[in-house]
């Protein structure tokens, strides 16, 4: 069932991000912000699954999503007396890449995923993101392969595979 997939995936995430070496300290404000970010992400994903939102074009929904963060960015730059626009040509290239590929396209794909497979399935499959980041770190940044993180990644892949089996079985049993 989906609860088992969520539990397996969550345990896998802990194995990927947990670092038992060294001293770990948590700042209460950081923990609060992390919890608030998770809650807002969950509410955002549920909102994407609502009928009114799924009837809209994903590009329009993504644009509405990005407007508040753009306004916040401009206000932050103005309050800190920092430039709102890039000062060099190379900065423009990075900004355009981040805006179009990493932000807008990613949001459009997320909206489409929620529209087609539902918010709970999309959220569960999205737990693969830390695994992708871990793999990219190994391939691009020469990070060290950790048995613990690899085990966590395998657990996430098993959870996603399990979810697909559950979904397939439900579709086969539906008259």
């Amino acid at each position: 069932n989906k609860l088992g997939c969520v539990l397996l995936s969550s345990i896998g995430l802990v194995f990927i991000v947990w670092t038992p070496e060294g001293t770990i300290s948590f700042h209460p404000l950081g923990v609060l912000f992390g919890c608030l970010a998770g809650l807002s992400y969950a509410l955002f994903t549920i909102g994407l699954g609502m009928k009114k939102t799924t009837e809209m074009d994903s590009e329009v929904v993504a644009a509405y999503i990005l407007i508040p963060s753009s306004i916040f960015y401009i206000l932050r730059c103005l309050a800190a007396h920092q430039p709102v626009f890039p000062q060099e040509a190379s900065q423009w290239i990075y900004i355009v890449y981040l805006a179009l590929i990493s932000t807008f396209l990613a949001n459009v794909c997320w909206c489409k995923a929620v529209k087609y497979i539902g918010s709970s399935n999309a959220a569960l499959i999205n737990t693969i993101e830390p695994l992708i980041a871990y793999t990219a770190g190994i391939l691009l940044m020469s990070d060290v392969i950790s048995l613990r993180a690899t085990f966590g990644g395998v657990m996430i892949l098993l959870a996603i595979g399990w979810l697909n089996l559950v979904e397939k079985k439900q579709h086969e049993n539906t008259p």
Side-chain angles (χ1 to χ4, degrees):
N1 62 26
K2 286 186 184 181
L3 180 60
C5 296
V6 169
L7 289 173
L8 185 61
S9 175
S10 298
I11 293 169
L13 285 171
V14 168
F15 275 101
I16 287 178
V17 300
W18 179 50
T19 55
E21 312 81 30
T23 307
I24 299 173
S25 62
F26 298 102
H27 191 280
L29 189 59
V31 172
L32 175 67
F33 282 146
C35 291
L36 289 174
L39 177 64
S40 64
Y41 185 70
L43 293 173
F44 162 65
T45 302
I46 291 168
L48 282 179
M50 297 177 118
K51 185 176 180 183
K52 186 174 182 177
T53 311
T54 57
E55 291 172 352
M56 296 173 68
D57 287 335
S58 296
E59 294 82 3
V60 173
V61 174
Y64 282 132
I65 292 166
L66 297 175
I67 289 171
S69 60
S70 300
I71 292 169
F72 177 79
Y73 169 78
I74 291 168
L75 293 175
R76 186 200 64 79
C77 287
L78 293 173
H81 303 291
Q82 295 177 340
V84 175
F85 297 104
Q87 304 299 305
E88 299 174 23
S90 63
Q91 293 173 335
W92 276 104
I93 293 169
Y94 297 135
I95 292 292
V96 168
Y97 171 77
L98 287 171
L100 294 179
I101 306 298
S102 299
T103 306
F104 183 73
L105 183 62
N107 273 290
V108 169
C109 290
W110 181 246
C111 292
K112 286 185 183 288
V114 170
K115 183 184 291 189
Y116 294 121
I117 65 173
S119 56
S120 61
N121 289 345
L124 184 59
I125 290 172
N126 199 42
T127 59
I128 200 168
E129 188 177 327
L131 176 61
I132 292 170
Y134 171 67
T135 305
I138 291 168
L139 297 175
L140 301 174
M141 307 291 284
S142 302
D143 282 352
V144 178
I145 297 174
S146 149
L147 181 63
R148 181 190 68 255
T150 303
F151 179 69
V154 168
M155 292 178 77
I156 290 171
L157 291 175
L158 287 173
I160 292 170
W162 185 8
L163 175 68
N164 287 328
L165 289 174
V166 168
E167 292 292 315
K168 184 177 179 183
K169 189 179 252 187
Q170 286 178 348
H171 286 317
E172 289 174 355
N173 292 338
T174 305

